[in-house]
Amino acid sequence: MDLNLLVTLETLLVERNVTKAAARLHLSQPAVSAQLNRLRHEFDDLLLIPAQRGMTPTVKAMELLDPLRQALDQVRATVASHRNFDPKKAKLTFAIACTDYLQAAVVKPLVMELRTRAPGVRVAIRNLDVPQMEAQMARGDVDLALMTPQAAPLGLRTRHLFDERYVLIGRRKHPQLRDGITVAEFAKLEQVIVSLDGGGFVTPVDSALAALGHRRNVVLSAASFLLVPEIVSHSDFVALVPERLVRGSAGQLEVIDCPFPVEGFAVGMVWHERSHGHSGQRWIRETIVSLIAHRSSSQVRETHSQSI
């Protein structure tokens, strides 16, 4: 059956007049009359009988009216809910794939925001698996990835969020950690590095340092960025970490600029075409963008106030 016929039937049963129903449906009177004839054939009933004023519904037509309106109202509500997303009422599970650093820098503030603005939205954190990402998103296993946009599969949508840089951290009152530290002094410090693959003791930083004629003293290779601030805060170890990882940690850590240029990286959102038009997922993506912008502007204001 052509489901548009059901909308016509509902309108005819309410208006009980072909001319009025046609005006409400933005159709011609002959078109509505033709649809009424098709409906009579589908239901094997006259449905509406000509009367002195308008039309009178048959018994079968009156039996159809309530279930028909309930079904069409449910369809309308479903369509409206996807077009006009209400975060306060939404029930949604959103799966994000990212590294542990971005769990702390982006996902944590997002979850705190959602508890206030969208308490029915749940977040599932997945491991970032770039080779499988497109397939995971096509299946709906992952809704959004946070990563370097340039590394994303070509078939996925991307949006730049921010550019990250590395800073040097150590415990408060570390005897060798100070602004103006030289490259040679940096290289002698006992250092923690992060090897996401596990067990590595060399990163691109070592290549940049070698070009300056130095080799650093790496004593610990960690598999997670999240462990590093805790380790260095209770030792004389130091580490180069993404700046957003340690924002707000000035009371527990010394945070200074690296004494030589270290290339940073971009962070963006990556998602599949299948979820691009979903109003709920679009709202979450825009919320992430808004949170990043707010935290970045707050950092600028804080830095400015400290320099005055």
Side-chain angles (χ1 to χ4, degrees):
M1 171 180 269
D2 179 357
L3 295 182
N4 287 320
L5 292 177
L6 299 181
V7 178
T8 299
L9 177 57
E10 178 196 32
T11 307
L12 283 167
L13 292 175
V14 171
E15 297 292 347
R16 302 186 184 186
N17 183 290
V18 173
T19 302
K20 291 181 179 179
R24 184 168 165 182
L25 292 166
H26 304 288
L27 296 172
S28 67
Q29 184 174 334
V32 173
S33 295
Q35 289 187 7
L36 176 56
N37 287 332
R38 291 175 61 189
L39 284 161
R40 285 168 170 165
H41 175 74
E42 289 283 353
F43 288 102
D44 192 22
D45 188 88
L46 288 176
L47 298 176
L48 291 138
I49 303 170
Q52 186 175 0
R53 292 184 178 180
M55 307 182 82
T56 300
T58 65
V59 173
K60 188 177 188 70
M62 293 306 297
E63 289 176 350
L64 288 170
L65 181 57
D66 282 345
L68 177 62
R69 297 193 78 171
Q70 290 175 16
L72 291 175
D73 285 345
Q74 186 173 1
V75 172
R76 293 183 187 110
T78 300
V79 172
S81 68
H82 284 282
R83 185 169 55 240
N84 304 310
F85 181 73
D86 185 349
K88 285 288 186 183
K89 299 178 180 178
K91 300 293 182 183
L92 176 67
T93 298
F94 191 71
I96 302 177
C98 61
T99 63
D100 56 353
Y101 145 64
L102 288 169
Q103 290 175 31
V106 179
V107 178
K108 179 181 176 181
L110 171 66
V111 170
M112 296 301 101
E113 184 77 5
L114 292 179
R115 299 329 304 147
T116 302
R117 298 179 59 190
V121 174
R122 304 185 301 176
V123 175
I125 298 175
R126 311 286 192 202
N127 291 327
L128 186 66
D129 186 350
V130 178
Q132 295 297 318
M133 182 183 302
E134 191 165 6
Q136 289 174 335
M137 290 186 170
R139 293 194 304 266
D141 296 338
V142 172
D143 297 308
L144 185 74
L146 301 172
M147 58 181 292
T148 302
Q150 292 82 355
L154 294 178
L156 300 178
R157 287 180 172 265
T158 63
R159 179 170 180 175
H160 178 271
L161 287 175
F162 58 87
D163 292 313
E164 183 62 289
R165 72 184 191 110
Y166 286 97
V167 293
L168 183 59
I169 65 169
R171 67 173 175 84
R172 292 289 293 171
K173 299 182 180 179
H174 190 292
Q176 284 85 42
L177 206 60
R178 68 188 188 285
D179 287 328
I181 185 175
T182 67
V183 177
E185 290 171 334
F186 165 83
K188 292 178 182 178
L189 293 172
E190 293 184 319
Q191 299 189 32
V192 180
I193 70 167
V194 174
S195 172
L196 296 179
D197 295 331
F201 283 85
V202 178
T203 74
V205 171
D206 295 280
S207 300
L209 199 57
L212 298 174
H214 297 279
R215 180 178 179 181
R216 61 177 172 166
N217 180 20
V218 178
V219 297
L220 175 63
S221 174
S224 167
F225 272 112
L226 300 184
L227 296 174
V228 176
E230 178 71 15
I231 292 170
V232 302
S233 67
H234 293 91
S235 67
D236 283 339
F237 300 162
V238 299
L240 286 172
V241 298
E243 183 180 22
R244 280 174 172 77
L245 181 67
V246 292
R247 279 188 178 172
S249 301
Q252 297 81 39
L253 297 168
E254 295 286 353
V255 181
I256 65 173
D257 291 334
C258 184
F260 61 97
V262 175
E263 185 176 359
F265 57 95
V267 172
M269 298 187 296
V270 180
W271 68 96
H272 197 277
E273 191 68 35
R274 70 185 295 275
S275 62
H276 178 66
H278 188 280
S279 62
Q281 296 203 23
R282 185 169 62 245
W283 180 85
I284 293 175
R285 292 195 298 267
E286 292 302 323
T287 298
I288 291 173
V289 172
S290 177
L291 282 171
I292 295 297
H294 175 72
R295 289 167 69 86
S296 296
S297 61
S298 298
Q299 180 66 20
V300 169
R301 289 195 298 269
E302 180 182 341
T303 302
H304 177 69
S305 64
Q306 290 175 351
S307 63
I308 295 177

